[in-house]
Amino acid sequence: AYKTVYEFLGSENLEKANDNKFDYSTCADLKEAFNIATTHALAGDTILLSPATASYDQYSNYIERGKHFNELVMNYETECAKK
């Protein structure tokens, strides 16, 4: 079974949509959300990119956003391997 441990929201409008069902943080961008998520995650946890809204103010399209998420993951894995 899966459960949401922590939710990361990208705008103040989403805070209202959350309706206080989960612990959450409002993040300015994907990198900030990823960094906070990796801080909260434990070994074996999954960090899922599941945008609730479009992010055209930061990316041209969903492909660019997905590539950025993949880059964050690869950089994180590289840093973890160094430890």
Side-chain angles (χ1 to χ4, degrees), residues 24-44:
Y24 66 88
S25 289
T26 302
C27 303
D29 56 30
L30 179 59
K31 184 175 182 178
E32 180 185 2
F34 185 84
N35 289 339
I36 293 172
T38 56
T39 301
H40 286 277
L42 303 174

Side-chain angles (χ1 to χ4, degrees), residues 4-54:
T4 300
V5 176
Y6 210 85
E7 184 175 8
F8 300 92
L9 306 172
S11 73
E12 291 184 22
N13 292 333
L14 290 176
E15 288 181 28
K16 294 174 188 169
N18 180 52
D19 207 16
N20 296 319
K21 294 177 185 168
F22 304 105
D23 291 333
Y24 66 88
S25 289
T26 302
C27 303
D29 56 30
L30 179 59
K31 184 175 182 178
E32 180 185 2
F34 185 84
N35 289 339
I36 293 172
T38 56
T39 301
H40 286 277
L42 303 174
D45 283 354
T46 298
I47 297 173
L48 173 69
L49 170 62
S50 183
T53 63

Side-chain angles (χ1 to χ4, degrees), residues 34 68-80:
F34 185 84
H68 184 213
F69 182 73
N70 287 337
E71 288 173 12
L72 292 169
V73 171
M74 298 304 274
N75 290 340
Y76 179 74
E77 287 178 343
T78 301
E79 289 302 313
C80 286

